[in-house]
Amino acid sequence: MEVSGVHGISTREEFRSIRLGDRRLDKRFLRVVESLFDSPNCSINEAMGEWASAKAAYRLFDHEELTEERVLAAHRKPLKERVRGEKNILVVQDTSSLTYTSHTGTMGLGSVAFGPRGKSSQGLFMHTAYVLKEDGEPQGILDQVMWSRAENAAVGHEMWNENNCWLKCLRFGQELRGEGTEARLTYICDREGDFWDLMSEIERQKNFFIIRLVEQRCLKNTLKEWFAQSPILGETIVEMEICRKTGESRYHQERKWEEITFCLQIVKMDLKRTSYN
């Protein structure tokens, strides 16, 4: 039995440090996790094999001692062992939406999309920081944050507070580096991660980031000049599906495949804090 993406590691070895306050709970947790990993494409009932085992699994999930924090803490221990000695560690952050629109009786779900179509899409958001070695080999989950827009609204949180999930997923990064090592972390984020607080915190931790820009930052007119003077270090051609707007609405789009050339260049610049942040 192997943990998905981490070769040669058993689930029992991966979560050996789990402590739920009762040895029987610890053993049940290991049995349940092992069954779920053995049948990742099955429902809980199918994976557990029989109703008694499935019922025991549901009781475990409802137990107050079984928390997301405890499971992730147990997983982070072997994760740190796997990346020990690495000079460069990649941490990829992104948000996924879990849609439960058909679960009409479920409480606490919120919108998981923007615009007119999002009003009928209900569910949760899950933000994950995933660790890889420099060669791209997956190592495990560093941190994970889940939330519901309905619950945020109920306690008075504004929509922009969803940026906090990007910051929270930095809290355990320094543990991967280890004391007295020269290891460096590179955080890889899409354009949702383009905000000042995230970049400044990564810089404060003396780490690195690769973030797809979305803010103009008053640099638009000079970017062409800077890159025109910078040598191309490498390039590759990738075939991608491109959406072209065909009407006034963003939903009127034409999709077609095109060859896109990506160039690698380096320029040094100072970013100013924007009003968006």
Side-chain angles (χ1 to χ4, degrees):
M1 172 59 213
E2 296 178 354
V3 174
S4 178
V6 184
H7 302 292
I9 305 296
S10 71
T11 52
R12 290 183 178 270
E13 182 69 15
E14 185 72 11
F15 295 101
R16 66 185 182 276
S17 64
I18 191 75
R19 295 294 182 271
L20 302 177
D22 187 319
R23 289 185 178 182
R24 293 171 299 177
L25 280 178
D26 298 342
K27 291 180 179 180
R28 186 189 302 175
F29 173 83
L30 295 175
R31 288 197 300 268
V32 169
V33 171
E34 195 168 33
S35 296
L36 293 177
F37 271 103
D38 280 336
S39 305
N41 295 324
C42 296
S43 66
I44 295 175
N45 290 351
E46 292 173 330
M48 300 310 299
E50 55 185 18
W51 171 240
S53 298
K55 191 174 181 179
Y58 284 117
R59 285 200 303 267
L60 174 68
F61 298 149
D62 286 336
H63 202 286
E64 60 182 8
E65 296 296 332
L66 181 62
T67 64
E68 181 182 352
E69 290 76 14
R70 287 186 174 181
V71 174
L72 286 174
H75 169 59
R76 269 193 295 270
K77 290 183 178 180
L79 169 60
K80 288 187 286 187
E81 295 174 3
R82 285 193 289 271
V83 299
R84 182 178 299 168
E86 294 292 322
K87 295 293 185 181
N88 297 292
I89 302 171
L90 307 179
V91 183
V92 181
Q93 286 201 55
D94 204 3
T95 305
S96 302
S97 57
L98 309 177
T99 304
Y100 301 111
T101 304
S102 60
H103 295 232
T104 56
T106 304
M107 304 294 291
L109 301 180
S111 172
V112 291
F114 290 104
R117 297 187 180 185
K119 292 181 179 179
S120 60
S121 300
Q122 301 293 306
L124 304 170
F125 283 101
M126 178 177 67
H127 188 86
T128 304
Y130 198 60
V131 178
L132 303 93
K133 289 185 178 180
E134 188 176 10
D135 61 3
E137 181 183 359
Q139 298 302 300
I141 294 175
L142 175 63
D143 200 12
Q144 197 168 72
V145 181
M146 296 186 66
W147 75 94
S148 162
R149 284 177 176 162
E151 292 181 353
N152 281 358
V155 295
H157 290 174
E158 300 295 335
M159 294 297 292
W160 61 264
N161 274 351
E162 292 182 4
N163 283 347
N164 289 343
C165 65
W166 297 84
L167 294 168
K168 286 181 178 179
C169 281
L170 302 180
R171 55 189 168 178
F172 299 110
Q174 296 301 78
E175 296 181 12
L176 293 182
R177 299 180 64 174
E179 296 182 4
T181 68
E182 298 180 357
R184 69 176 188 180
L185 269 61
T186 300
Y187 289 90
I188 302 175
C189 312
D190 63 11
R191 60 184 188 174
E192 287 183 277
D194 179 19
F195 62 98
W196 178 266
D197 291 344
L198 178 66
M199 292 186 286
S200 61
E201 178 60 21
I202 295 175
E203 174 69 15
R204 189 192 68 80
Q205 294 181 1
K206 301 185 184 304
N207 287 316
F208 299 83
F209 58 81
I210 300 174
I211 298 178
R212 180 184 176 187
L213 293 180
V214 67
E215 294 301 311
Q216 297 295 336
R217 302 187 186 281
C218 303
L219 297 174
K220 187 175 181 179
N221 294 333
T222 56
L223 278 177
K224 279 190 176 182
E225 299 175 7
W226 286 347
F227 283 112
Q229 300 171 8
S230 173
I232 297 177
L233 304 180
E235 61 180 41
T236 184
I237 299 176
V238 178
E239 190 176 11
M240 298 179 63
E241 188 178 19
I242 305 299
C243 295
R244 301 293 186 187
K245 190 175 180 180
T246 59
E248 294 184 0
S249 171
R250 66 187 179 95
Y251 298 115
H252 294 96
Q253 297 179 344
E254 178 185 7
R255 293 177 174 268
K256 63 178 182 177
W257 290 88
E258 295 183 3
E259 287 188 348
I260 306 297
T261 301
F262 289 91
C263 299
L264 177 63
Q265 295 174 269
I266 297 177
V267 296
K268 186 176 181 179
M269 65 182 74
D270 292 325
L271 297 181
K272 296 180 179 180
R273 183 166 184 157
T274 65
S275 59
Y276 172 82
N277 299 308

